[in-house]
Amino acid sequence: MPNRKGDEIMAHENGNLSIHSENIFPIIKKWLYSDKDIFIRELISNSSDAISKLKKLNIMGEVEIGENTDFRITVEIDQEAKTIKVMDNGIGMTADEVKKYINQIAFSGAEDFLTKYKDKTSEDQIIGHFGLGFYSAFMVASKVEIDTLSYQENAKPVHWICEGGSTYEMEEGSKDTRGTTITLHVGEDSEEFLNEFTLRQTIQKYCSFMPFEIYLETIKNEEPKAEETADEDKAEDAEPAAPTPLNDPTPLWLKKPSECTDEEYKAFYHKVFMDFKEPLFWIHLNMDYPLNLKGILYFPKLGNEFETAEGQVKLYCNQVFVADNIKEVIPEFLLLLKGVIDCPDFPLNVSRSFLQNDGYVTKISEYITKKVADKLKQISKKEKENFEKYWDDIHPFIKYGCLRNDKFYDKVKDIVIYKTTKGEFITLPDYLERNRDKHENKVFYVTDENQQSQYIKMFDEHDMEAVILPTTIDQPFISHIEMKNNEVKFARIDADLTDLMKSETDEEQNKTLGEDLQKLFTETLGKEVKVKAENLKTASVSAMILLSEESRRFQDMAKMYGNMGMMGMPMENDETLVVNTNNNLIEYLIANKDNEDRKEELKIVCEQVYDLAMLSHKPLEPEAMTRFIQRSNDILTKLI
């Protein structure tokens, strides 16, 4: 360090902070920062900046520091004194720099530094803004002190103090090592940060990947007990344990993808997200132009339904945590993933908490979307078996992405696959081509394999197939596909009967039988029932319920509005009971529909046929299910 003996003593100075508000501190506390704990991020970021600046000057030959210099940031808690200190061995400040960067709040030390040296080096970005960021300390402190010593030759140490008003005091200090120490005298309303566990958690929340090692120390002021003293005497000769940094200065995303192993990717995932399930796969982002961006996005096991998306994609700026899930940068649908994104180039306001909407943000969003789509396409082509294995977990994400982002949809629409009732995976074009002769441009689908098993059985018997769409995202997704491709129509398996299922028959005769049976079912069941007679090739099915696709979608939409129609009118029941004239139960009803002596038996058969058809269509209401079970028991009793 420079020898300052004989240097002129710096005069004690009192003054007013140069601000454009009578008192900036209420603004800082109530508006500038949304979370009180953010003060630790700002102060540690400033310390990191100070070290980065010194390293820059060393690279440029403007200062010489030892090759083995141990750069570090230390946070120290003194519970008795109620202080928190943030200490670094970085560039330090002269009295003039304190006046400029602290007293004149509107200036930014990092900004000014970059402007001065922007043409000399591009190494290591400066993280933040020394200035307003520093004043976040007053969110928790009633008084703040600065002790700093610049790297410059013959520099004098500076002591600065402010008690939360618009005035400060500054004089020559006593610090004799290069760097800066910020001392926060914690206010009564923020004493939770004097708790070592709380402060440790806060540091790890914001600074887990800061580029310089961070250590947390607690000053022990209590007198040790006798037994503790004895234990210390025994351990005098023991090697003291090396302190462990709270952060990882070289996170995995800074490495080249070729240098990372699968084990490292998985270990990083478990550590950062506390998710001990294995991620399916991941994407390592590494962009240098037109902006700088690095990161890792993981595809977790989502299952059939979405898990919460909040807090899954973490945004960093030069290894400093900014926020979770900033939708201006990360497309909304990607928030279903887990990951970290580090981008020094996007613009941040002084609090680093809100992004400005400009071209950088758009480019980042588009780049991430493209990389995710490219990765999915790569897996679908080169790892088809894995892609099919992953499908149950990743399809909600892909479908949601298609709904939310047209560019993403255009990139992945041809790799969306569907599991069929035959147990195969197939793309939409392949399904349409394979079933063109049976039902051109129509896609039959199943929402519940158990509930609709009767319909699936009929399809199998006629060598037909449907795709399985059991999740809530599927309904809006198929509507989206229909909107994008007017020639394709989706219909649930119980929405229509194809000609392949019907035998040639007299249409007029079926119409007459349908009218007669509609009268019988309506009178027997005591409610209006729409009945249609068909001669099906499958004799084992007595009846089935059909509901047009249009009516089903209308009903699903209306349920969102309290089971009322779009104009506030009750929904009309558009379900049709299709009876199979090739079935012996229906033949019995036709033969005896006018037989008064069989009225009781006709009632039982009609009720049972109707309930059996309804059970294959949707769950029975509780009362209807109770009647069905009792009736089934009565029928079995009569057989004994």
Side-chain angles (χ1 to χ4, degrees):
M1 298 302 301
N3 183 358
R4 297 182 304 279
K5 186 175 181 180
D7 288 347
E8 182 182 345
I9 302 298
M10 188 179 81
H12 182 94
E13 177 179 324
N14 294 331
N16 292 313
L17 301 175
S18 299
I19 54 179
H20 300 292
S21 170
E22 184 175 332
N23 193 339
I24 196 170
F25 300 107
I27 297 175
I28 289 174
K29 290 185 177 182
K30 295 181 180 180
W31 176 78
L32 189 59
Y33 297 98
S34 55
D35 298 313
K36 184 189 287 188
D37 65 0
I38 215 165
F39 80 94
I40 200 69
R41 183 190 74 178
E42 295 298 309
L43 296 181
I44 292 179
S45 295
N46 288 340
S47 291
S48 182
D49 279 348
I51 297 173
S52 293
K53 291 175 182 178
L54 187 65
K55 291 184 70 176
K56 275 181 175 284
L57 294 176
N58 181 58
I59 291 170
M60 296 182 293
E62 297 200 10
V63 65
E64 290 187 11
I65 55 177
E67 292 184 5
N68 298 320
T69 299
D70 180 21
F71 288 111
R72 62 167 55 198
I73 299 164
T74 302
V75 181
E76 180 186 277
I77 304 172
D78 188 329
Q79 294 176 341
E80 185 174 306
K82 296 185 178 181
T83 61
I84 297 173
K85 293 185 178 182
V86 180
M87 300 173 278
D88 68 70
N89 55 350
I91 196 170
M93 289 184 288
T94 63
D96 286 341
E97 287 169 336
V98 171
K99 291 178 183 179
K100 180 175 182 181
Y101 300 136
I102 302 300
N103 298 344
Q104 298 181 43
I105 293 176
F107 283 90
S108 164
E111 218 171 87
D112 188 64
F113 186 87
L114 285 176
T115 300
K116 181 176 180 181
Y117 292 107
K118 65 181 179 180
D119 297 326
K120 296 189 178 182
T121 181
S122 60
E123 297 292 325
D124 295 331
Q125 294 292 318
I126 300 299
I127 293 173
H129 297 237
F130 202 109
L132 275 180
F134 160 75
Y135 280 93
S136 66
F138 287 96
M139 297 178 72
V140 299
S142 58
K143 178 170 70 174
V144 177
E145 298 181 68
I146 301 175
D147 286 284
T148 185
L149 177 62
S150 173
Y151 75 98
Q152 295 180 26
E153 189 75 19
N154 298 322
K156 300 181 181 66
V158 179
H159 178 72
W160 179 96
I161 187 169
C162 177
E163 297 193 21
S166 58
T167 62
Y168 67 89
E169 293 182 36
M170 191 171 76
E171 61 186 356
E172 184 168 334
S174 58
K175 186 172 176 57
D176 58 2
T177 57
R178 182 197 66 237
T180 299
T181 296
I182 309 293
T183 303
L184 284 66
H185 297 264
V186 178
E188 290 183 3
D189 61 345
S190 302
E191 289 185 2
E192 68 268 23
F193 293 107
L194 293 171
N195 179 282
E196 182 176 338
F197 177 80
T198 300
L199 195 58
R200 181 184 300 272
Q201 292 291 99
T202 304
I203 293 170
Q204 290 176 331
K205 172 183 176 181
Y206 290 110
C207 309
S208 285
F209 304 105
M210 200 75 81
F212 303 104
E213 291 183 350
I214 303 167
Y215 295 88
L216 178 62
E217 298 177 357
T218 300
I219 302 297
K220 304 292 185 184
N221 294 302
E222 296 181 359
E223 288 294 327
K225 297 177 183 178
E227 58 269 25
E228 292 176 348
T229 304
D231 289 340
E232 289 174 4
D233 290 340
K234 292 178 183 177
E236 270 186 359
D237 298 330
E239 186 74 22
T244 303
L246 299 185
N247 61 318
D248 176 6
T250 55
L252 195 63
W253 72 74
L254 294 182
K255 297 182 180 179
K256 295 179 181 178
S258 59
E259 298 173 351
C260 304
T261 66
D262 288 355
E263 289 71 25
E264 287 177 316
Y265 282 118
K266 292 176 183 178
F268 183 80
Y269 176 80
H270 298 322
K271 176 184 176 182
V272 174
F273 302 105
M274 300 301 290
D275 185 347
F276 296 99
K277 293 179 292 190
E278 292 290 302
L280 298 174
F281 53 93
W282 48 84
I283 303 171
H284 197 135
L285 306 171
N286 193 350
M287 181 183 184
D288 295 322
Y289 181 84
L291 67 160
N292 186 7
L293 179 146
K294 298 181 187 300
I296 305 172
L297 290 177
Y298 290 90
F299 284 72
K301 279 183 166 292
L302 287 177
N304 286 334
E305 300 294 335
F306 298 163
E307 296 176 358
T308 177
E310 290 303 315
Q312 299 301 300
V313 181
K314 299 178 180 295
L315 188 64
Y316 290 79
C317 176
N318 279 314
Q319 299 169 240
V320 180
F321 176 72
V322 175
D324 290 316
N325 297 345
I326 296 184
K327 294 177 182 178
E328 291 82 0
V329 173
I330 305 162
E332 183 183 2
F333 72 95
L334 289 179
L335 301 184
L336 293 172
L337 303 183
K338 295 183 179 182
V340 293
I341 293 174
D342 190 344
C343 181
D345 290 333
F346 57 64
L348 296 164
N349 73 353
V350 290
S351 71
R352 298 193 189 97
S353 296
F354 303 98
L355 293 170
Q356 307 298 324
N357 231 339
D358 72 353
Y360 273 132
V361 172
T362 302
K363 289 174 184 176
I364 293 170
S365 179
E366 290 177 351
Y367 168 76
I368 295 172
T369 299
K370 180 180 182 302
K371 291 293 288 186
V372 171
D374 289 346
K375 179 69 172 183
L376 291 169
K377 289 166 70 175
Q378 175 191 346
I379 296 175
S380 71
K381 292 177 181 178
K382 296 183 178 180
E383 303 175 46
K384 187 178 180 218
E385 186 176 332
N386 279 337
F387 191 68
E388 293 178 356
K389 183 174 69 175
Y390 298 149
W391 186 251
D392 283 345
D393 289 297
I394 66 174
H395 81 86
F397 153 76
I398 294 176
K399 291 170 182 175
Y400 185 58
C402 290
L403 292 173
R404 303 297 297 177
N405 190 297
D406 281 343
K407 290 184 178 179
F408 183 77
Y409 170 79
D410 290 338
K411 288 179 180 297
V412 304
K413 62 182 179 181
D414 293 331
I415 66 167
V416 174
I417 56 177
Y418 303 80
K419 189 174 184 179
T420 73
T421 49
K422 292 184 177 180
E424 302 171 358
F425 281 99
I426 191 171
T427 64
L428 182 59
D430 288 343
Y431 175 91
L432 293 171
E433 181 61 33
R434 196 153 85 182
N435 296 280
R436 189 170 299 282
D437 295 338
K438 300 169 185 175
H439 43 85
E440 185 174 5
N441 290 338
K442 181 174 283 189
V443 182
F444 284 100
Y445 66 94
V446 174
T447 56
D448 187 325
E449 291 179 82
N450 293 327
Q451 188 76 51
Q452 295 145 26
S453 59
Q454 174 181 291
Y455 301 91
I456 295 173
K457 182 175 181 293
M458 289 181 61
F459 264 57
D460 288 342
E461 290 173 350
H462 293 86
D463 194 29
M464 295 171 60
E465 62 184 342
V467 298
I468 302 170
L469 301 174
T471 63
T472 53
I473 193 69
D474 288 317
Q475 292 302 310
F477 179 67
I478 62 177
S479 296
H480 189 73
I481 291 179
E482 290 172 335
M483 181 184 70
K484 293 288 187 179
N485 188 343
N486 293 330
E487 294 182 356
V488 177
K489 297 297 177 186
F490 282 79
R492 206 169 85 169
I493 200 169
D494 54 355
D496 194 9
L497 289 175
T498 69
D499 292 337
L500 290 176
M501 296 180 179
K502 305 175 188 177
S503 299
E504 292 186 12
T505 187
D506 188 332
E507 292 296 330
E508 283 299 319
Q509 182 182 12
N510 276 350
K511 182 179 180 183
T512 300
L513 288 174
E515 291 172 351
D516 291 341
L517 290 174
Q518 178 167 318
K519 181 180 179 182
L520 176 64
F521 274 91
T522 298
E523 291 176 353
T524 301
L525 300 178
K527 64 179 181 180
E528 184 69 29
V529 180
K530 293 181 181 179
V531 178
K532 184 178 181 181
E534 292 285 1
N535 189 13
L536 303 181
K537 293 178 180 178
T538 302
S540 61
V541 176
S542 59
M544 62 179 63
I545 299 291
L546 296 184
L547 177 65
S548 71
E549 187 68 17
E550 181 181 359
S551 296
R552 173 175 292 105
R553 296 195 196 184
F554 180 81
Q555 288 185 12
D556 289 342
M557 185 181 300
K559 284 177 184 177
M560 298 172 60
Y561 301 94
N563 287 323
M564 297 296 289
M566 299 303 290
M567 300 303 294
M569 300 296 292
M571 292 183 298
E572 180 184 358
N573 185 0
D574 196 30
E575 293 168 342
T576 300
L577 177 68
V578 177
V579 294
N580 181 11
T581 58
N582 193 28
N583 175 266
N584 56 2
L585 288 175
I586 304 304
E587 288 176 349
Y588 172 83
L589 292 177
I590 293 171
N592 295 280
K593 57 184 171 57
D594 298 320
N595 189 336
E596 289 295 323
D597 295 336
R598 297 282 180 93
K599 192 169 185 178
E600 186 60 31
E601 288 85 350
L602 287 171
K603 175 178 172 61
I604 292 173
V605 173
C606 282
E607 289 176 338
Q608 199 72 358
V609 165
Y610 181 82
D611 282 352
L612 286 169
M614 191 60 73
L615 276 169
S616 295
H617 176 65
K618 65 182 181 182
L620 292 178
E621 297 293 332
E623 290 184 7
M625 177 59 79
T626 300
R627 291 194 301 269
F628 172 75
I629 293 172
Q630 183 60 52
R631 189 186 321 113
S632 299
N633 285 327
D634 292 343
I635 293 170
L636 290 173
T637 301
K638 291 179 180 181
L639 294 176
I640 299 175

